[in-house]
Every structure is written in structure tokens, then in C-alpha cells.
Amino acid sequence: MSDARSEILARIARATSTGSPSSWEEIPRDYRQSSTASDRELVDLLTHRLHDYDAQVVEASSSDAATAVAAMLKAREVSRIVIPPGLQSSLLPPGFNFIEDTGLSHAELNQCEGILTECTLAIAETGTIVLQNVPGQGRRAATLVPDYHLCIVDAAKIVATVPEAIERLNPTAHLATTFISGPSATADIEMTRIKGVHGPRFLDVVLLLE
Amino acid sequence: MSLQPLDPRTAEIFPMAARHLLGDTQLRKNVRHATDVIQNKRRIVVDEMPDWQELRESGKRLREHTMQHLREYLEQFERNCTAAGGVVHWARDAAEARQIVVSLAKSAGAKEVIKIKSMTTEEIQLNPALAAAGIRPYETDLAELIIQLGHDQPSHIVVPALHKNRQQIREIFRREMNLPDLGPSPQDLADAARLFLREKFLTVPTAVSGANFLIAETGGVCVVESEGNGRMCLTLPDTLITIAGIDKVIPRYEDLGVLLQLLPRSATGERMNPYNSIWTGVHPGDGPKAFHVILMDNARTSILADAEGRQTLNCIRCGACQNACPVYRQTGGHAYGSVYAGPIGAILTPQLMQMEHAQSLPYASSLCGACYEVCPVKINIPEVLIHLRNKVVKEKSWADPEAIALKTVASIFRSERRFRAAQRLGRIAERPLVRKDGQGDGWISWLPGLLGGWTQVRDLQSMPKESFREWWEKRAETKGGSDV
Amino acid sequence: MRISLFITCYNDTLFPDTGKAVVRVLERLGHTVVFPAGQTCCGQMHYNTGYQKEAMPLLERFVAQFRDADAVVVPSSSCVAMMKDHYPKMAEEIGRPDLIRDVAELLPKIFEFSELLTRRLGLDDVGAYYPHRVTYHASCHGLRNLNLGDGPLRLLKAVRGIDLVPIANVEQCCGFGGTFAVKNAEVSSAMLAEKTTAVLNTGAEACTACDNSCLMHIQGALHRQRTGVRTIHLAEILASTEEGRA
Ligand code: SF4
């Protein structure tokens, strides 16, 4: 008796022996792969989409980023905040308890009220923020267990469409990557959208312009 | 309600199961409401895309290409996933897949596992197998939790508990979570689920998931979800076991640019679902230390071998065809006797059963085409349904009453003379059944045998005295022709 | 133009008035109608129920009867959909090169009745008069397989005296589906109940469509429930003039 692997591969070979081969490059791609939107339009569209997800969005310049962060954290009344290794220190306002994630246990993460990160890019059309395991964004568990996520989005990292985002991510495809579009949600009960089930129930964004 | 696991081998035929469910007014109301809401949301986010048809075409062609080259893409996935620290297993059928999961969980020392919603694990009835091995599975998706705690079965591939309303869910949670004071709002119910599962997420070291896409080029896996329960299962445990049909592979990372647009808009009517996770093997210091992926055939290769049925494998499990289906909307999912219900279930289930069971499912459709219209990868479901009906008919015995009737009619249509005779004969044969109504028109309210289904709720107008061709010929004889 | 009429088996037998109406409209517009006498059935019921083998000779018969036509008119959207969607594949399967070629040449010349008027003849107004409140049921095959779009509605809007009222959920199937109505009678009835409710909610005196099979199904329930609402094929409305009905 042959092993499962060779048997399945042989079945596939038999099943596909009659069809005609095609190359991946031949697949038609007439959908939009880029956009002509201006930077301002992208910022506005992203903001609009994030508002749709009930996220708060503020704009700030890089010099007053820390002030904007402080205002957000205060408004949400969170003070114990995880930060990933490598987060720019200029983003951190005084007066909060920032705890660097040097391998916190699940229980320790669960004790924290929030997480502050940067991001790899954002997709305006879908209101999506993309995080990868790199300095300033950190490992996946840290952006998941605390109930509040504040994300700093540099306006230069906004793309219009999903295909543009995927193209930019392609060189780092091997990194653990998470697309976040609004706070955790469900519509499993009568299709009523409820914010916050298991992931962070609150997501806010500071948009860094210039 | 307590239901046996949905098993096409033992399920009632569709018309019988449907008859019972049509009597459940509450269920029908719930299903109608939920499918209306998703359909409206979908319509809005699809209509705003100027390139939706181009995306569908790319999606279809991408999936067709993948199926034709399935072998190389699976091998490529295996190579790249292994190089990134994952362990790839192969399973010929459901039993083998169950056995691999159970033995992996056992050797990880698991007493409990946390699970992400996965129709593939439902297909192979994994939970009873885990329980039999002394391992307790916890469903973590809200809908699956409702199903599990309610001893119920999924009725939709994306929103498995859509047949339940908030009061029914509240009753289940009150009883099973021991929360007598639980409120009825969806928010209260979601909060209860959050509390119920939080500790499990933080402490259970083994997780089982399905997969939306396996990326051949990178060896990565993509899971699309809403609640964050998926992320919990994918990142917090030490061991992750992912089970996926071999049809889930996609060639390249770039293909996500198409599929991550088609899937969320079609499935939940969102521009993007809250979370997509992509991981590749084991990431040191981030997520599980051991990652296993099981590539399961379970009759998919037999579907691949059927040129006309093959497009069934292009499915990305968005559920849009279920929401659009006027049959599904009347009966809900359980009538299909399979975890795959609605139009996709009507074509996938009998083929997964290699046409030995579920032969009534290809007939559970009026062929209205609403499913084809919404399918993000343009699967021509009506065409496949007809193809499968043909397979069912080929298996029928010569003595089957329907086969005899249809063959007789076909022979009538093969000859103009016989057709004319049948028209005349019909007028004579129907005579005893015709009753005059108030307007003096003849109607039939009762028909015998196979045709009785018609007159349960409908009348049938009696045949006119003269067929069209008789009129045409008379008119030609009298010539005149001007006064029709 | 010389237009060949394929009446379809069930219109021939059960709805001769629809055929008469088609003849009347086309002749009124100055065209010549011919009726190949050997025609019977397109094979739809057999094909869709899984009896492909039985449908094959019906394809051959149809092609033999209509091969030489300049244009074929068919007052049934589902039969046209059957031919357009399945005939090429069926001809391939039969494997006769002449048949494959004939089907390829014939199909573009086949038109559903409203399609012939709006697309082939470029007409919206055919000079009809029908002073009644009417709602239009878009049959699934017309809507999705033939993409008739607003053609039938444009024709109806041009009818003098008509009070055209829209129906809710116009794209939803009435539940007929050929043998589906018998094989899955209960589900079919449930779908039909939604459709008749939608028809009754319009307050129309009559429900029209491009397909008598849907209408027979809808009419069956409207009659059983004694609603007094009629069904009428689009051709019969278009055939009506101030001088009288077809
Ligand atoms: S068949 Fe198409 S519409 Fe139905 S679930 Fe699959 S991808 Fe979605």
C-alpha cells in the first residue's frame, strides 16, 4: 500500500492529465491595481472607513504625535499600555505606564489595558491596518489580548487598494502578518454587528501627516 | 433542539427534510431575516466596486489555473511550509484526517483543544472523534459556540447559527453557562461568550483550525475571521493543527490581492472582515512552537477528475450563494443533511459522497441562477446541478416511474405525428378532472401520481380546444390571414 | 422580414393564444411569419431533469426544422436560454461536425419574443393598447440567462392606456423550475406564496411575463386562492389594440 501523499498526488496527476496547462501569468487582471487618488484623498478615505468601524481618528504631525497619543489614551482611560520592542520613543508621552513586551506571559498581557503600535501600511478603501512582526509592531499576541489598540499610521504608508497593499507586502510575505479592519466584531446574532468579542474591543488611530 | 451530526449517508431526502422544516415558522423567519440582511450589505459593498466583474473573472481564472496545476502547487506549498518549520501531513479521507488530528493532539498531551470555525472539521466530524479520544474540543467562534452548547448543527457555512434568534441563543447560554440573569441583547450575549472563553484562550495549549488559503509560493496560511477568536487560537497556544482540503491552495501571495477583495464582500458584506491572519510555518517568539498542516483529499480528487464537476472545487466558501438561494431561504441549511447547505452544498455534497448519497440534492433547486450571479469565482452552479442530475438519472433503474414517464414523453416529442396525437389524447384524458369555475373556464384541481405535487396548492387550467398548430393550419386553409 | 416561429411544445398545447398574439404583432409590423410544421420541443424539461440522452434527438429535430431560418422567434425565455446555454455543448457531445456548425450559425438568429422586438427590430412601441393595471414578472431565465434587462419593460411602458406597477423583489424566482415544482412541491409552493403575495400587493389586475411556464405556476395559485388576478403573456398585451384583443 502506498502512503497517503503519493496516492493523493497520483490521483491528482490522473485527474488533471487531460486538461490543458496554463501559466499563472496568463490569468487576466483587468481589475484596478493602482489608484490616482491624492494623498489628501487617501487620508480622508481611510478616516472615513475607520469611522465606519467606530474607530476614533486624529491627525497629528510627527512633532506633536506624543501629545495626540496622550489625548487618546486619556480619553479611553487606559494607563497600563504594552509597547512592542523598537517603538519610536518620540511617540511616547510622559505620565503613562508603558510596558515593553519582552516576552510577557499571556496572563501578563491580559493584565494590560492597551497596546500602542505603529504599522506597515494601511489600505484606504477598506479601512485596514496591516501589522507585521517587525520593530514598532511586535508579535501578534500583544496586539490581541489587551482590550484597546492605539495604532500610529504614517500617512506615507497609506495605499488605496488591496492589490497595492499586497504588492507592497510581497517582499516581506514570510513575516507573520495581520490585517486589522476595525475592532473585533461579530454579526452572528441576528446579523447585528456587535463590536468586540475576543480581540480588542476598541481601536483608535493617530494619523501622522507630513 | 438536538440534532444528530449532519451526515449525507443517513440524512432524509431533501423534499422530506424540507417538508418538516417548512413547518418551523420561527426558523424560517430567522433565516429570512439573516439572509436579507447579508444580501443587502453585500449588494452595497459590491455595487461600489467599479471592477467587480473583472475581479470575478480573475478569481475564476485563478482558481481554474490552480486546479489544473494542483499537484505542483501542493508540492510547492509543502516544500515552503516545511522549510519554514511547519510539518505537512496528507490524508486520503476523513477517517485518516481525524486520526492524524487526534494523534497529534494526543502527543501534544492535549486534554482540551480550542477550535476556530472550520467547515472542513465539520465535514469530517472531528469533534466526536476528539471527544472519543478523551479530548474536549471548545468551539470559539460565537456561532459555533451557540451550535455546540445548543447541541445543534450548523446551517450556513459562514454564519452557522443564523437559524437561531437572540431569545433562543439567550436560553442556550443561560442554561449551558449557568447565567440565569443573562440579558437578551446581542451585546450581552457576545460579552458572555467573551468571558466564557477568555480563560480557555489564555491557558489551553493546543488549537485546531481550518484555513482559507494555503499559499504555495511562500508556504504561508491565511485565515479570515471577525471576532479575534481565530487570532487567539492561531497565536496563543503552543501547538497549532490546521486542516485544509487540498482545494484551498493558491499559487502566489499576490493572488490574495484578488481573493481578499472577493471573499469579505461576498461573505459578510464587509469591505474587509476585521481580521486576516497570515503566517508561515513557525515564527520564533511569535505564536505556536509547533505547527502542523493536514492536506486532505476526501473525494476532492474525484471531483477534480470530472471535467464538468471540477469547477465545484473553485469555491472559496463565501456563502453568498446560500444567501441568494430562494430554496435555502425557505428551508434553512439543515434540510440539506450536510454541513454544506444551499447551492454549494447541493453540488458539493453529492460529489463528496461520490454520488452514492445525497442524490436528491441536485434537484433541490429551481435553477433560477441567483447563485451563479453572486458567486465571486463565477461557479456556474446551475450547470453543475444539471450535470449531477444526469449522473443520478444514469443510475436509475429502467422501471423507475419517473424515467418511464420522461422517456415516453421524449419519444412523443421525437415525432410530430405522435405529438399531435398526444395533444388530442391529453384533451380526452383530462376531461374527468376538469371542473368549470365561475367564469365558465375549465380548471383542474387534482392530479394523480407524480403530478399531484402541482395541485397541492395550484390549479391547472384545462387544455384549450384547439392547439396552436391546429389553428395555424385552419387559418392557412381559409387563407384570408389578415384577421388573426 | 421572414420570421420563423418556434411556438414551443407547451405553448402549442396549452397557450395557443400566445402564439396567435405573436403572429398578430409581427404581421401588424409588416413581417411574414412561418411555422415549420415538424417542430415539437426544445428538450428543456429532459435536459434540466437529467435526461440528457433523451434531449439530444430533440436538438437534432429543432436544428433540422429551423436551419434555414433568417430569424427565429420564441415566446418563451426559458426555452431560448436552454438553446443558448446548452445546445453548443450538446452538439459537441453528439459530435457531428455539420450539427456543430449549424448550431453555431443558428443560435445568434434565435430571439426570445421581446428580444426580437427590442434588439433585433429596434422597437419599443409596437402600437398596442391595453387599459389595465399590470405588473411584470421578470422570469429568471429572461433576467439572468438572456439578460433581457429593461427590454420587456420598455415595451410595456409604450403600451397606451396601461398602468404599469412595479413588483417587490422582482429578481426573485417564482418557484416553478420545471420538474422542481413537482419534485419539491412544498418548497416550490412556499416560494410561490411569496411571489403571489408580491403580485397581490401591487394591486394589479394582471401579471405578465415573457414565459408562460412561470405564469401557469403563478396563475395556478392565484386561481386556487380565488384572487381574481389574471396572468397574461407579454405578447398578448402587445397584440391588443384599440380595435380589439388577439
Ligand atoms: S459556490 Fe461561490 S457563492 Fe457559493 S460559497 Fe462557493 S464561492 Fe461562495
Side-chain angles (χ1 to χ4, degrees):
Chain A
M1 199 193 83
S2 65
D3 64 314
R5 180 182 187 278
S6 18
E7 198 176 318
I8 293 170
L9 291 175
R11 286 180 194 167
I12 295 172
R14 270 199 304 281
T16 53
S17 60
T18 50
S20 48
S22 61
S23 80
W24 183 86
E25 282 78 11
E26 285 165 32
I27 297 166
R29 288 172 199 279
D30 299 328
Y31 53 87
R32 292 169 302 146
Q33 304 194 48
S34 60
S35 138
T36 51
S38 70
D39 291 353
R40 186 66 237 180
E41 284 166 338
L42 289 181
V43 167
D44 289 345
L45 183 58
L46 177 66
T47 305
H48 186 255
R49 294 295 192 245
L50 287 164
H51 282 157
D52 268 1
Y53 295 135
D54 294 320
Q56 308 271 341
V57 183
V58 290
E59 293 180 8
S61 68
S62 40
S63 55
D64 61 11
T67 320
V69 169
M72 282 286 201
L73 295 177
K74 216 173 253 150
R76 294 288 190 178
E77 295 177 17
V78 289
S79 55
R80 282 175 62 83
I81 301 127
V82 191
I83 52 168
L87 188 81
Q88 295 172 55
S89 54
S90 62
L91 296 172
L92 302 179
F96 295 89
N97 184 3
F98 290 110
I99 304 153
E100 183 163 302
D101 176 24
T102 48
L104 300 172
S105 71
H106 300 342
E108 285 166 328
L109 281 175
N110 202 29
Q111 304 290 306
C112 296
E113 295 161 322
I115 166 85
L116 173 65
T117 68
E118 299 169 50
C119 70
T120 298
L121 57 83
I123 310 169
E125 248 184 36
T126 58
T128 303
I129 286 158
V130 179
L131 302 182
Q132 292 182 302
N133 190 344
V134 291
Q137 299 171 41
R139 66 182 173 127
R140 292 169 290 168
T143 52
L144 174 63
V145 179
D147 206 14
Y148 174 66
H149 183 186
L150 179 56
C151 186
I152 318 284
V153 178
D154 186 336
K157 293 180 173 172
I158 307 176
V159 298
T161 63
V162 175
E164 288 167 281
I166 297 292
E167 196 190 327
R168 278 217 209 170
L169 291 169
N170 207 1
T172 53
H174 57 282
L175 294 173
T177 303
T178 308
F179 287 51
I180 298 177
S181 308
S184 135
T186 183
D188 278 349
I189 301 167
E190 295 183 11
M191 298 312 297
T192 310
R193 188 181 161 100
I194 308 161
K195 253 192 318 171
V197 191
H198 303 296
R201 283 183 285 190
F202 307 95
L203 170 76
D204 293 334
V205 167
V206 175
L207 268 170
L208 287 189
L209 305 180
E210 98 205 39
Chain B
M1 180 170 58
S2 172
L3 266 178
Q4 290 298 307
L6 295 168
D7 187 342
R9 273 168 283 253
T10 51
E12 263 184 311
I13 61 166
F14 183 82
M16 296 297 289
R19 176 180 300 167
H20 301 147
L21 288 159
L22 285 171
D24 190 337
T25 331
Q26 184 64 60
L27 174 135
R28 288 176 68 191
K29 229 171 113 188
N30 297 346
V31 173
R32 188 102 33 104
H33 168 76
T35 50
D36 276 345
V37 174
I38 318 181
Q39 283 206 91
N40 287 332
K41 285 174 69 184
R42 178 198 165 273
R43 193 167 301 134
I44 292 166
V45 297
V46 163
D47 286 352
E48 74 181 21
M49 296 290 278
D51 54 349
W52 185 251
Q53 295 310 330
E54 288 78 8
L55 277 168
R56 286 179 80 214
E57 181 62 22
S58 294
K60 168 189 156 149
R61 300 285 289 274
L62 169 62
R63 296 295 285 155
E64 282 174 353
H65 164 79
T66 310
M67 292 312 150
Q68 182 57 37
H69 299 269
L70 193 58
R71 185 187 166 128
E72 36 185 291
Y73 287 128
L74 285 171
E75 287 178 318
Q76 200 186 352
F77 172 79
E78 178 186 44
R79 231 175 10 254
N80 291 323
C81 178
T82 310
V87 183
V88 177
H89 308 258
W90 299 75
R92 277 166 283 214
D93 53 28
E96 195 165 24
R98 285 193 297 264
Q99 182 253 316
I100 296 172
V101 177
V102 168
S103 79
L104 287 172
K106 268 190 176 162
S107 55
K111 291 271 169 292
E112 301 176 323
V113 299
I114 45 178
K115 279 191 67 202
I116 314 184
K117 176 179 104 73
S118 148
M119 282 300 123
T120 315
T121 63
E122 298 279 0
E123 173 189 332
I124 65 169
Q125 297 181 17
L126 179 63
N127 286 358
L130 286 168
I135 301 164
R136 183 160 176 192
Y138 285 92
E139 293 291 349
T140 64
D141 172 79
L142 181 54
E144 286 286 357
L145 181 67
I146 295 165
I147 300 288
Q148 188 176 38
L149 296 180
H151 310 287
D152 199 348
Q153 292 296 324
S155 68
H156 188 281
I157 59 175
V158 172
V159 200
L162 101 175
H163 57 289
K164 292 281 186 221
N165 69 12
R166 63 184 75 184
Q167 281 78 23
Q168 294 169 312
I169 296 166
R170 179 201 198 187
E171 276 322 301
I172 295 168
F173 281 12
R174 268 183 171 169
R175 188 178 69 227
E176 300 287 324
M177 295 180 180
N178 202 8
L179 297 171
D181 302 324
L182 182 60
S185 77
Q187 189 69 59
D188 294 332
L189 300 170
D191 288 347
R194 180 182 171 96
L195 280 174
F196 181 76
L197 286 170
R198 192 76 180 179
E199 189 230 305
K200 293 292 164 205
F201 285 135
L202 298 176
T203 58
V204 175
T206 311
V208 174
S209 88
N212 291 94
F213 306 112
L214 309 173
I215 309 160
E217 179 188 37
T218 62
V221 182
C222 177
V223 163
V224 168
E225 52 128 359
S226 295
E227 296 167 17
N229 66 306
R231 294 179 67 199
M232 295 276 179
C233 295
L234 299 173
T235 47
L236 300 184
D238 294 326
T239 302
L240 171 62
I241 305 165
T242 295
I243 168 153
I246 53 174
D247 51 315
K248 292 291 175 73
V249 74
I250 62 172
R252 301 193 190 178
Y253 189 81
E254 254 185 87
D255 298 327
L256 292 174
V258 176
L259 298 166
L260 288 182
Q261 295 195 80
L262 291 172
L263 179 56
R265 287 177 200 259
S266 301
T268 50
E270 291 169 299
R271 296 188 177 98
M272 190 64 89
N273 46 286
Y275 300 129
N276 302 328
S277 297
I278 303 164
W279 74 98
T280 309
V282 173
H283 300 273
D286 185 353
K289 300 182 185 69
F291 169 55
H292 298 269
V293 51
I294 298 153
L295 303 177
M296 182 180 76
D297 179 352
N298 205 28
R300 284 159 178 75
T301 48
S302 74
I303 303 177
L304 190 69
D306 175 358
E308 284 175 87
R310 183 191 281 189
Q311 55 178 317
T312 311
L313 295 176
N314 297 351
C315 174
I316 55 173
R317 305 285 190 271
C318 73
C321 56
Q322 303 184 311
N323 306 325
C325 178
V327 174
Y328 176 92
R329 284 162 53 80
Q330 296 295 340
T331 64
H334 293 155
Y336 294 77
S338 160
V339 297
Y340 302 112
I344 179 60
I347 58 172
L348 180 59
T349 304
Q351 293 185 89
L352 288 178
M353 294 289 122
Q354 316 219 32
M355 301 311 290
E356 279 166 24
H357 303 278
Q359 288 127 335
S360 66
L361 290 186
Y363 290 94
S365 164
S366 64
L367 303 178
C368 79
C371 46
Y372 181 26
E373 188 173 58
V374 296
C375 177
V377 290
K378 290 170 88 165
I379 300 173
N380 190 335
I381 296 177
E383 185 179 281
V384 180
L385 286 167
I386 293 172
H387 171 63
L388 299 178
R389 290 176 181 189
N390 193 222
K391 291 192 163 198
V392 172
V393 165
K394 280 185 185 154
E395 302 284 297
K396 274 191 198 290
S397 113
W398 62 268
D400 181 275
E402 179 199 286
I404 292 173
L406 270 117
K407 283 176 185 173
T408 309
V409 174
S411 94
I412 290 170
F413 286 146
R414 280 201 295 274
S415 137
E416 187 206 342
R417 194 177 48 78
R418 281 199 294 270
F419 182 45
R420 280 173 185 276
Q423 286 180 328
R424 279 193 302 272
L425 204 66
R427 284 198 287 269
I428 298 165
E430 70 165 15
R431 242 179 245 160
L433 304 172
V434 176
R435 301 281 174 272
K436 292 267 189 261
D437 70 2
Q439 322 291 317
D441 296 327
W443 289 83
I444 296 169
S445 305
W446 178 86
L447 283 170
L450 292 175
L451 299 174
W454 181 272
T455 44
Q456 274 171 22
V457 295
R458 311 169 197 80
D459 291 338
L460 186 65
Q461 193 149 21
S462 69
M463 287 171 69
K465 298 199 171 44
E466 182 181 65
S467 71
F468 175 81
R469 71 180 64 218
E470 285 162 348
W471 171 82
W472 176 268
E473 281 153 10
K474 258 195 222 152
R475 176 179 182 258
E477 276 162 26
T478 55
K479 220 44 198 146
S482 59
D483 187 17
V484 173
Chain C
M1 192 161 68
R2 201 162 158 276
I3 299 167
S4 302
L5 171 62
F6 176 53
I7 182 71
T8 77
C9 61
Y10 71 97
N11 280 324
D12 185 5
T13 313
L14 301 172
F15 302 98
D17 286 348
T18 298
K20 295 177 202 170
V22 170
V23 174
R24 179 166 166 157
V25 171
L26 294 179
E27 290 184 349
R28 191 169 74 212
L29 294 169
H31 301 284
T32 307
V33 179
V34 292
F35 183 81
Q39 62 178 287
T40 59
C41 168
C42 69
Q44 179 183 203
M45 175 173 72
H46 288 90
Y47 192 88
N48 283 354
T49 310
Y51 293 81
Q52 268 91 325
K53 201 171 116 239
E54 279 68 27
M56 297 295 184
L58 302 180
L59 154 77
E60 295 180 284
R61 166 172 282 272
F62 176 84
V63 172
Q65 292 290 318
F66 287 92
R67 190 172 23 221
D68 301 323
D70 302 328
V72 182
V73 64
V74 189
S76 164
S77 50
S78 61
C79 297
V80 180
M82 160 71 196
M83 299 188 256
K84 303 231 160 167
D85 289 351
H86 304 302
Y87 273 12
K89 206 170 51 196
M90 290 165 71
E92 289 289 340
E93 211 156 294
I94 294 170
R96 269 175 36 210
D98 60 318
L99 187 68
I100 297 172
R101 198 192 50 238
D102 285 348
V103 165
E105 278 171 17
L106 183 52
L107 282 186
K109 293 191 282 188
I110 299 176
F111 298 91
E112 180 279 323
F113 174 66
S114 76
E115 201 181 20
L116 178 84
L117 296 175
T118 56
R119 295 206 178 132
R120 181 68 181 78
L121 302 176
L123 295 170
D124 285 353
D125 187 347
V126 296
Y129 170 74
Y130 193 74
H132 298 282
R133 175 174 266 225
V134 173
T135 193
Y136 170 70
H137 164 65
S139 77
C140 297
H141 288 110
L143 184 73
R144 300 196 178 88
N145 303 56
L146 303 184
N147 290 312
L148 294 183
D150 64 349
L153 283 174
R154 292 206 313 271
L155 289 164
L156 284 167
K157 276 184 195 141
V159 172
R160 271 172 294 287
I162 201 168
D163 176 11
L164 192 61
V165 282
I167 188 168
N169 302 321
V170 66
E171 72 295 336
Q172 195 164 307
C173 178
C174 68
F176 175 61
T179 47
F180 173 78
V182 180
K183 279 175 169 284
N184 279 288
E186 271 92 353
V187 183
S188 170
S189 310
M191 290 160 71
L192 175 57
E194 279 188 31
K195 188 54 77 182
T196 48
T197 304
V199 171
L200 294 175
N201 284 343
T202 65
E205 299 160 63
C207 173
T208 190
C210 298
D211 211 314
N212 272 329
S213 52
C214 304
L215 290 180
M216 174 172 71
H217 173 71
I218 295 170
Q219 175 78 86
L222 291 173
H223 188 266
R224 171 69 58 91
Q225 297 163 26
R226 300 174 193 283
T227 60
V229 179
R230 287 176 292 123
T231 56
I232 179 169
H233 192 283
L234 178 77
E236 293 171 52
I237 291 182
L238 298 185
S240 302
T241 59
E242 271 91 344
E243 290 79 57
R245 278 191 59 186

